Structures are given as C-alpha cells and as structure tokens.
Amino acid sequence: VEVYGGSPVSNSDGIDVTYNWRAGGVKNMTQGSFGRTKVRVGGSAHANARQLIGISNTTTTDHLTVRASVLSANLSVDIAKPLFDVFKQFGPPGVALAERYDVANKRTTIAAIGFTYDPGSWFLMGETGHMNARSYLGKKSVSYLSTGYRWNAITPFITYSTAKSHQPLSDAGLPVSSYPAAVAPLAQNLNQQLNGLLRTITAQHTVSTGVRWDFGRNYSLTMQYDHLRPEGESNGTLINVQPGFRPAHAVHVVSTMLDFVF
C-alpha cells in the first residue's frame, strides 16, 4: 500500500499506443497514453484527472524484467473543497493556504522504476518511485523490496516497503490572533482540520512475511503478517483514525487470502 495506494487515479479513458521492439537479444515494449478519468473517492466526492499523459518502457531478458514509467495529469479532488472554500473567506492568508493545499487542477507527477528477477526456484522484485501532487496529497518517495523461495507448492516470502514525505505534515495555518474574537475559534478549528488532512500524507514503513500454498490447479492460499509503523505525525495508510490514536506506534495485521481462477 505504500507504493500503490498513494494516488486516487488508477485508469485512463483515451488513447493508448504500444510499440514492441528489440535491441540485440533484449525485448522492449514502449507504451504511451493520453486521456482523462473521473473516479469516486468516497461519498459524493470525485477525483478528476485531465490531460493525463503517461509513458513507460518494459525491458525483458531471460529472467529479468525492468519497467520505468512517468505519469502526469491535471488533478482535482473535491473531497476537501468545502474546507478550502471556507479558508478563502479569511482573506489573503486563507486564500494562500487554499491555493497551496487544495487539489484543484494541480499538475501531479509520478515517476517509478521497478524490476523482477525470477529464475524459477526463487524471486526478487522491487520498485521505487516519486510522487508530487503539489497539494495535501503530498510530495513523497516510495519503495519496496520483496523476495521468496518456491519449495514445491509452498512459497515463503518477506517484503519491506516504505513511504517518506518530503513536505511537512503540519502547518501553522491561519494567524488566529489577527482575527476578531468572534471568528478566532473558527480559524483555529480550520487549522486543526487542515493539519488533520496533512497527517493523511503517508509516512510509514512495513515489514511483511508470509507463505503461499498452491494447493490445487488455479487455487492458492496466502497467509501474511504485517508489522507497520507510521512515522512522525502521519496516520500512515490507516483511514478513519479514531480519538486516542497514537502516531509512530506499531500496528499489527494478520490476513488470509484465497485466490482462484474459474
């Protein structure tokens, strides 16, 4: 989730062009896309990406696959628009905060490179990337590394993943003392809500371990344990955080998953 859970955009409606080519004994697939998308992100809120441009290249040799990609889009997310509309009523400081953090037609860029090495009996894979949303969605770098060994139908594995924020997770916000006493409490409440949004920027690392059992044709069972720790003031990848939540404390997750094809 540190690597793949940071962007609300996962698809594009538009034009997609793929070109397959070789350089010596190395196979390459270069893909370009242009389009737009609109997805629901909760309740009546939507994420709207326009002028979505992407390019990627996948290089494959005997056991190694490497993929590099760059994606850029004008992104708008209206889930926090009512909050920033109120900020704009607090004069130039409020307008400046709204322009800095609201996801309103912000040019968002994502660049990533990943690899998979799989000779058959074992595998090693990883990916690293950088995202800059120029808003409360954050500016951050993400990465993961995973390895496992196949022993007949059993595959134990271990994964380390991390997300690091490159922008502060808090802001002084509106200068509360400069407003009349009648509206100062509202300004303070707005600041609290803004910092609540900034704490949703993912800063977290996770160590995962588990085992997959391919117990039948087209059937597999996976059991996994995750030890994740949000960093600093971040909520990590947790949502619907309740009063009493303690940042920078470990969270433990045990999950079981059944995959099947029919």
Side-chain angles (χ1 to χ4, degrees):
V1 292
E2 287 88 353
V3 176
Y4 300 114
S7 172
V9 177
S10 60
N11 65 287
S12 171
D13 297 323
I15 300 172
D16 184 282
V17 179
T18 301
Y19 179 66
N20 294 288
W21 53 284
R22 283 182 175 269
V26 178
K27 295 184 292 183
N28 289 272
M29 181 179 71
T30 302
Q31 187 175 31
S33 61
F34 178 81
R36 61 182 300 167
T37 189
K38 184 177 182 179
V39 295
R40 188 184 297 273
V41 291
S44 59
H46 292 84
N48 196 345
R50 291 181 289 270
Q51 299 179 17
L52 197 157
I53 304 170
I55 186 169
S56 66
N57 188 79
T58 303
T59 302
T60 305
T61 61
D62 290 339
H63 304 305
L64 177 66
T65 299
V66 179
R67 184 177 187 272
S69 63
V70 177
L71 176 70
S72 179
N74 284 337
L75 182 64
S76 297
V77 181
D78 56 13
I79 193 169
K81 184 178 183 300
L83 172 65
F84 291 111
D85 285 345
V86 178
F87 264 101
K88 293 176 182 178
Q89 299 177 27
F90 280 74
V95 172
L97 288 166
E99 291 179 348
R100 184 186 309 166
Y101 292 116
D102 193 11
V103 192
N105 201 33
K106 293 291 182 69
R107 176 53 63 172
T108 299
T109 54
I110 302 173
I113 184 169
F115 77 95
T116 301
Y117 183 78
D118 190 343
S121 60
W122 60 279
F123 64 86
L124 178 67
M125 64 178 66
E127 187 171 354
T128 185
H130 182 82
M131 171 182 172
N132 188 358
R134 298 170 175 84
S135 65
Y136 73 83
L137 292 181
K139 178 182 180 182
K140 57 188 175 182
S141 58
V142 297
S143 59
Y144 85 89
L145 188 66
S146 182
T147 186
Y149 181 79
R150 299 183 180 96
W151 181 62
N152 296 325
I154 303 295
T155 305
F157 60 87
I158 186 169
T159 302
Y160 176 80
S161 55
T162 181
K164 295 183 178 180
S165 175
H166 298 293
Q167 73 178 57
L169 302 184
S170 62
D171 193 297
L174 296 168
V176 176
S177 60
S178 66
Y179 295 104
V183 297
L186 176 57
Q188 185 173 7
N189 180 264
L190 290 173
N191 289 341
Q192 291 174 350
Q193 293 186 61
L194 173 61
N195 284 292
L197 276 178
L198 295 178
R199 284 193 293 271
T200 65
I201 298 174
T202 303
Q204 173 181 296
H205 67 269
T206 302
V207 177
S208 304
T209 186
V211 60
R212 168 175 166 153
W213 176 30
D214 293 277
F215 62 90
R217 181 179 175 83
N218 297 328
Y219 289 87
S220 70
L221 180 68
T222 302
M223 298 185 66
Q224 182 169 313
Y225 164 71
D226 301 317
H227 179 278
L228 64 93
R229 184 185 294 274
E231 298 177 355
E233 299 175 321
S234 174
N235 297 337
T237 53
L238 302 174
I239 60 175
N240 195 27
V241 171
Q242 300 297 302
F245 170 74
R246 297 182 300 167
H249 281 72
V251 177
H252 308 273
V253 182
V254 177
S255 57
T256 303
M257 179 172 63
L258 175 66
D259 282 333
F260 57 91
V261 180
F262 59 92

Coordinates of all heavy atoms in Angstrom, one line a residue, residues 205-258:
H205 N 6.6 2.7 7.3 CA 7.4 1.6 6.8 C 6.7 0.3 7.3 O 6.1 0.3 8.4 CB 8.9 1.6 7.1 CG 9.1 1.5 8.6 ND1 9.2 2.5 9.4 CD2 9.4 0.4 9.3 CE1 9.5 2.1 10.7 NE2 9.6 0.8 10.6
T206 N 6.8 -0.8 6.5 CA 6.2 -2.0 6.8 C 7.1 -3.2 6.5 O 7.8 -3.2 5.5 CB 4.9 -2.2 6.0 OG1 4.0 -1.2 6.2 CG2 4.2 -3.5 6.4
V207 N 7.2 -4.2 7.4 CA 7.8 -5.4 7.2 C 6.7 -6.5 7.2 O 5.9 -6.6 8.1 CB 8.8 -5.8 8.3 CG1 9.5 -7.1 8.1 CG2 9.9 -4.7 8.4
S208 N 6.7 -7.2 6.1 CA 5.7 -8.3 5.9 C 6.4 -9.6 5.6 O 7.4 -9.7 5.0 CB 4.8 -8.0 4.7 OG 4.2 -6.7 4.8
T209 N 5.7 -10.7 6.2 CA 6.2 -12.0 5.9 C 5.0 -12.9 5.8 O 4.0 -12.7 6.4 CB 7.2 -12.5 7.0 OG1 7.7 -13.8 6.6 CG2 6.5 -12.6 8.3
G210 N 5.2 -14.0 5.0 CA 4.0 -14.9 4.9 C 4.4 -16.1 4.1 O 5.6 -16.3 3.7
V211 N 3.4 -16.9 3.7 CA 3.6 -18.1 2.9 C 2.4 -18.3 2.0 O 1.3 -18.0 2.4 CB 3.8 -19.3 3.9 CG1 2.6 -19.5 4.8 CG2 4.1 -20.5 3.0
R212 N 2.7 -18.7 0.8 CA 1.7 -19.0 -0.2 C 1.7 -20.5 -0.5 O 2.8 -21.1 -0.6 CB 1.9 -18.2 -1.5 CG 1.0 -18.7 -2.6 CD 1.2 -17.8 -3.8 NE 0.7 -18.4 -5.0 CZ 0.2 -17.8 -6.1 NH1 0.3 -16.4 -6.1 NH2 -0.2 -18.4 -7.2
W213 N 0.5 -21.1 -0.5 CA 0.4 -22.5 -0.8 C -0.5 -22.7 -2.0 O -1.7 -22.4 -2.0 CB -0.3 -23.2 0.4 CG -0.5 -24.7 0.3 CD1 0.1 -25.5 -0.5 CD2 -1.6 -25.4 0.9 NE1 -0.4 -26.8 -0.4 CE2 -1.5 -26.8 0.4 CE3 -2.6 -25.1 1.8 CZ2 -2.3 -27.8 0.8 CZ3 -3.5 -26.1 2.2 CH2 -3.3 -27.4 1.7
D214 N 0.1 -23.2 -3.1 CA -0.7 -23.5 -4.3 C -1.2 -24.9 -4.2 O -0.6 -25.9 -4.7 CB 0.2 -23.4 -5.5 CG 0.6 -21.9 -5.8 OD1 -0.2 -21.2 -6.4 OD2 1.7 -21.5 -5.3
F215 N -2.3 -25.1 -3.5 CA -2.8 -26.4 -3.1 C -3.6 -27.1 -4.2 O -4.0 -28.3 -4.0 CB -3.7 -26.3 -1.8 CG -4.9 -25.5 -2.0 CD1 -6.1 -26.1 -2.4 CD2 -4.9 -24.1 -1.7 CE1 -7.2 -25.3 -2.5 CE2 -6.0 -23.4 -1.8 CZ -7.2 -24.0 -2.2
G216 N -3.9 -26.5 -5.3 CA -4.6 -27.1 -6.4 C -4.5 -26.3 -7.7 O -4.0 -25.2 -7.7
R217 N -4.9 -26.9 -8.8 CA -4.8 -26.2 -10.0 C -5.7 -24.9 -10.0 O -6.9 -25.0 -9.7 CB -5.3 -27.1 -11.2 CG -5.3 -26.5 -12.5 CD -5.7 -27.5 -13.6 NE -5.8 -26.8 -14.9 CZ -4.8 -26.7 -15.7 NH1 -3.6 -27.1 -15.4 NH2 -5.0 -26.1 -16.9
N218 N -5.1 -23.8 -10.2 CA -5.8 -22.5 -10.2 C -6.3 -22.1 -8.8 O -7.2 -21.2 -8.7 CB -7.0 -22.5 -11.2 CG -6.5 -22.6 -12.6 OD1 -5.4 -22.2 -13.0 ND2 -7.3 -23.3 -13.4
Y219 N -5.7 -22.7 -7.7 CA -6.1 -22.3 -6.4 C -4.8 -22.0 -5.6 O -3.9 -22.8 -5.7 CB -6.9 -23.4 -5.7 CG -8.3 -23.6 -6.2 CD1 -8.5 -24.4 -7.3 CD2 -9.4 -23.0 -5.6 CE1 -9.8 -24.6 -7.8 CE2 -10.7 -23.1 -6.1 CZ -10.9 -24.0 -7.2 OH -12.1 -24.2 -7.7
S220 N -4.9 -21.0 -4.7 CA -3.8 -20.7 -3.8 C -4.3 -20.1 -2.6 O -5.3 -19.4 -2.6 CB -2.7 -19.8 -4.5 OG -3.2 -18.5 -4.6
L221 N -3.6 -20.3 -1.5 CA -4.0 -19.8 -0.2 C -2.7 -19.1 0.4 O -1.6 -19.6 0.4 CB -4.4 -20.9 0.8 CG -4.8 -20.5 2.2 CD1 -6.1 -19.7 2.2 CD2 -4.9 -21.7 3.1
T222 N -2.9 -17.8 0.8 CA -1.8 -17.0 1.3 C -2.1 -16.5 2.7 O -3.2 -16.0 3.0 CB -1.5 -15.8 0.4 OG1 -1.2 -16.2 -0.9 CG2 -0.4 -15.0 0.9
M223 N -1.2 -16.7 3.6 CA -1.3 -16.1 5.0 C -0.1 -15.1 5.2 O 1.0 -15.4 4.8 CB -1.2 -17.2 6.0 CG -2.4 -18.2 5.9 SD -2.3 -19.4 7.3 CE -2.7 -18.3 8.7
Q224 N -0.4 -14.0 5.7 CA 0.6 -12.9 5.8 C 0.5 -12.1 7.1 O -0.6 -11.9 7.6 CB 0.4 -11.9 4.6 CG 1.4 -10.8 4.6 CD 1.3 -10.0 3.2 OE1 1.3 -10.6 2.2 NE2 1.3 -8.7 3.3
Y225 N 1.6 -11.7 7.6 CA 1.7 -10.9 8.8 C 2.4 -9.6 8.4 O 3.5 -9.6 7.8 CB 2.4 -11.6 9.9 CG 2.9 -10.7 11.0 CD1 2.0 -10.1 11.9 CD2 4.2 -10.3 11.2 CE1 2.4 -9.2 12.9 CE2 4.7 -9.5 12.2 CZ 3.7 -8.9 13.1 OH 4.1 -8.1 14.0
D226 N 1.8 -8.5 8.8 CA 2.4 -7.1 8.5 C 2.7 -6.4 9.8 O 1.8 -6.4 10.7 CB 1.4 -6.3 7.7 CG 1.1 -6.9 6.4 OD1 2.0 -7.4 5.7 OD2 -0.1 -6.8 6.0
H227 N 3.9 -5.9 10.0 CA 4.3 -5.1 11.1 C 4.5 -3.7 10.5 O 5.5 -3.4 9.9 CB 5.5 -5.6 11.8 CG 6.0 -4.8 12.9 ND1 6.8 -3.6 12.7 CD2 5.8 -4.9 14.3 CE1 7.1 -3.1 13.9 NE2 6.5 -3.9 14.9
L228 N 3.5 -2.8 10.6 CA 3.7 -1.4 10.0 C 3.8 -0.4 11.1 O 3.2 -0.5 12.2 CB 2.5 -1.2 9.1 CG 1.1 -1.1 9.7 CD1 0.7 0.4 10.0 CD2 0.1 -1.6 8.7
R229 N 4.5 0.7 10.8 CA 4.7 1.7 11.8 C 4.6 3.1 11.1 O 5.5 3.4 10.3 CB 6.1 1.6 12.5 CG 6.3 2.7 13.6 CD 7.7 2.6 14.1 NE 7.9 1.4 14.8 CZ 7.6 1.2 16.1 NH1 7.0 2.1 16.8 NH2 7.8 0.0 16.7
P230 N 3.5 3.9 11.3 CA 3.5 5.3 10.8 C 4.6 6.0 11.4 O 5.1 5.8 12.6 CB 2.1 5.8 11.3 CG 1.3 4.5 11.5 CD 2.3 3.5 12.0
E231 N 5.1 7.0 10.7 CA 6.3 7.8 11.2 C 5.9 9.3 11.4 O 5.0 9.8 10.7 CB 7.4 7.7 10.1 CG 7.9 6.3 9.9 CD 9.0 6.3 8.8 OE1 9.3 7.3 8.2 OE2 9.6 5.2 8.6
G232 N 6.5 9.9 12.4 CA 6.2 11.2 12.8 C 4.8 11.4 13.1 O 4.2 10.7 13.9
E233 N 4.1 12.5 12.6 CA 2.7 12.8 12.9 C 1.8 12.1 11.9 O 0.6 12.3 12.0 CB 2.5 14.3 12.8 CG 3.4 15.1 13.8 CD 3.2 16.6 13.7 OE1 3.1 17.0 12.5 OE2 3.2 17.3 14.7
S234 N 2.3 11.3 10.9 CA 1.5 10.7 9.9 C 0.5 9.6 10.5 O 0.9 8.9 11.4 CB 2.3 10.2 8.8 OG 1.6 9.5 7.8
N235 N -0.7 9.5 9.8 CA -1.5 8.4 10.1 C -1.1 7.2 9.3 O -1.8 6.1 9.5 CB -3.0 8.7 9.7 CG -3.5 9.9 10.6 OD1 -3.1 10.2 11.7 ND2 -4.5 10.6 10.0
G236 N -0.1 7.3 8.5 CA 0.3 6.2 7.7 C -0.7 5.9 6.6 O -1.3 6.8 6.1
T237 N -1.0 4.6 6.4 CA -2.0 4.3 5.4 C -3.4 3.9 6.1 O -4.3 3.4 5.5 CB -1.6 3.0 4.6 OG1 -1.2 2.0 5.5 CG2 -0.4 3.4 3.7
L238 N -3.5 4.2 7.4 CA -4.7 4.0 8.1 C -5.7 5.0 7.8 O -5.4 6.2 7.6 CB -4.4 4.0 9.6 CG -3.4 2.9 10.1 CD1 -3.1 3.1 11.6 CD2 -3.8 1.5 9.8
I239 N -7.0 4.6 7.7 CA -8.1 5.6 7.5 C -9.1 5.5 8.6 O -9.0 4.6 9.4 CB -8.8 5.3 6.1 CG1 -9.4 3.9 6.2 CG2 -7.9 5.4 5.0 CD1 -10.3 3.6 4.9
N240 N -9.9 6.5 8.7 CA -10.9 6.6 9.8 C -10.3 6.5 11.2 O -10.7 5.7 12.1 CB -12.0 5.5 9.6 CG -13.2 5.7 10.5 OD1 -13.5 6.8 10.8 ND2 -13.9 4.6 10.8
V241 N -9.2 7.2 11.4 CA -8.4 7.2 12.6 C -9.3 7.8 13.7 O -9.9 8.8 13.6 CB -7.1 8.0 12.5 CG1 -6.5 8.2 13.8 CG2 -6.2 7.3 11.5
Q242 N -9.3 7.1 14.9 CA -10.2 7.4 16.0 C -9.5 8.2 17.1 O -8.2 8.2 17.1 CB -10.8 6.2 16.6 CG -11.6 5.3 15.6 CD -12.9 6.1 15.1 OE1 -13.7 6.5 15.9 NE2 -12.9 6.3 13.8
P243 N -10.2 8.9 17.9 CA -9.5 9.6 19.0 C -8.8 8.6 19.9 O -9.2 7.5 20.1 CB -10.7 10.2 19.8 CG -11.8 10.4 18.8 CD -11.6 9.2 17.8
G244 N -7.6 9.0 20.3 CA -6.7 8.1 21.1 C -5.7 7.4 20.2 O -4.8 6.7 20.8
F245 N -5.8 7.6 18.9 CA -4.7 7.0 18.0 C -3.4 7.6 18.4 O -3.2 8.8 18.5 CB -5.1 7.3 16.6 CG -4.0 6.9 15.6 CD1 -3.7 5.6 15.3 CD2 -3.2 7.9 15.0 CE1 -2.7 5.3 14.4 CE2 -2.2 7.6 14.1 CZ -1.9 6.3 13.8
R246 N -2.4 6.8 18.5 CA -1.0 7.2 18.8 C -0.1 7.1 17.6 O 0.2 6.0 17.2 CB -0.5 6.4 19.9 CG -1.2 6.5 21.3 CD -0.6 5.7 22.4 NE -0.5 4.2 22.0 CZ 0.2 3.3 22.7 NH1 0.9 3.7 23.7 NH2 0.2 2.1 22.3
P247 N 0.3 8.2 17.0 CA 1.2 8.2 15.9 C 2.5 7.5 16.3 O 2.9 7.5 17.4 CB 1.4 9.7 15.5 CG 0.2 10.4 16.1 CD -0.1 9.6 17.4
A248 N 3.2 7.0 15.3 CA 4.6 6.4 15.5 C 4.6 5.2 16.3 O 5.6 4.8 16.8 CB 5.5 7.5 16.0
H249 N 3.4 4.5 16.5 CA 3.3 3.3 17.2 C 3.0 2.2 16.2 O 2.3 2.4 15.2 CB 2.3 3.3 18.3 CG 2.7 4.0 19.5 ND1 2.9 5.4 19.6 CD2 3.0 3.5 20.8 CE1 3.3 5.7 20.8 NE2 3.4 4.6 21.5
A250 N 3.5 1.0 16.5 CA 3.4 -0.1 15.5 C 1.9 -0.6 15.5 O 1.2 -0.6 16.5 CB 4.3 -1.3 16.0
V251 N 1.6 -1.1 14.3 CA 0.3 -1.7 14.1 C 0.5 -3.1 13.5 O 1.4 -3.3 12.6 CB -0.6 -0.9 13.1 CG1 -1.9 -1.6 12.8 CG2 -0.8 0.5 13.7
H252 N -0.2 -4.1 13.9 CA 0.0 -5.5 13.5 C -1.3 -5.9 12.7 O -2.4 -5.8 13.2 CB 0.2 -6.4 14.7 CG 1.3 -5.9 15.6 ND1 2.7 -6.2 15.4 CD2 1.3 -5.1 16.7 CE1 3.4 -5.6 16.4 NE2 2.6 -4.9 17.2
V253 N -1.0 -6.5 11.6 CA -2.1 -7.0 10.7 C -1.8 -8.5 10.3 O -0.7 -8.8 9.9 CB -2.2 -6.2 9.5 CG1 -3.4 -6.7 8.6 CG2 -2.4 -4.7 9.8
V254 N -2.8 -9.3 10.5 CA -2.7 -10.7 10.1 C -3.8 -10.9 9.1 O -5.0 -10.6 9.3 CB -2.9 -11.7 11.2 CG1 -2.9 -13.1 10.7 CG2 -1.8 -11.5 12.3
S255 N -3.5 -11.4 7.9 CA -4.5 -11.6 6.8 C -4.4 -13.0 6.2 O -3.3 -13.6 6.2 CB -4.4 -10.5 5.8 OG -3.1 -10.5 5.2
T256 N -5.5 -13.4 5.7 CA -5.6 -14.7 4.9 C -6.3 -14.4 3.6 O -7.3 -13.8 3.6 CB -6.3 -15.8 5.7 OG1 -5.6 -16.0 6.9 CG2 -6.3 -17.1 4.9
M257 N -5.8 -14.9 2.5 CA -6.4 -14.6 1.2 C -6.4 -15.9 0.4 O -5.4 -16.7 0.3 CB -5.6 -13.6 0.5 CG -6.1 -13.3 -0.9 SD -5.2 -11.8 -1.7 CE -3.6 -12.5 -1.8
L258 N -7.6 -16.2 -0.2 CA -7.8 -17.3 -1.1 C -7.9 -16.8 -2.5 O -8.8 -15.9 -2.8 CB -9.0 -18.1 -0.7 CG -9.4 -19.2 -1.7 CD1 -8.4 -20.3 -1.7 CD2 -10.8 -19.8 -1.3

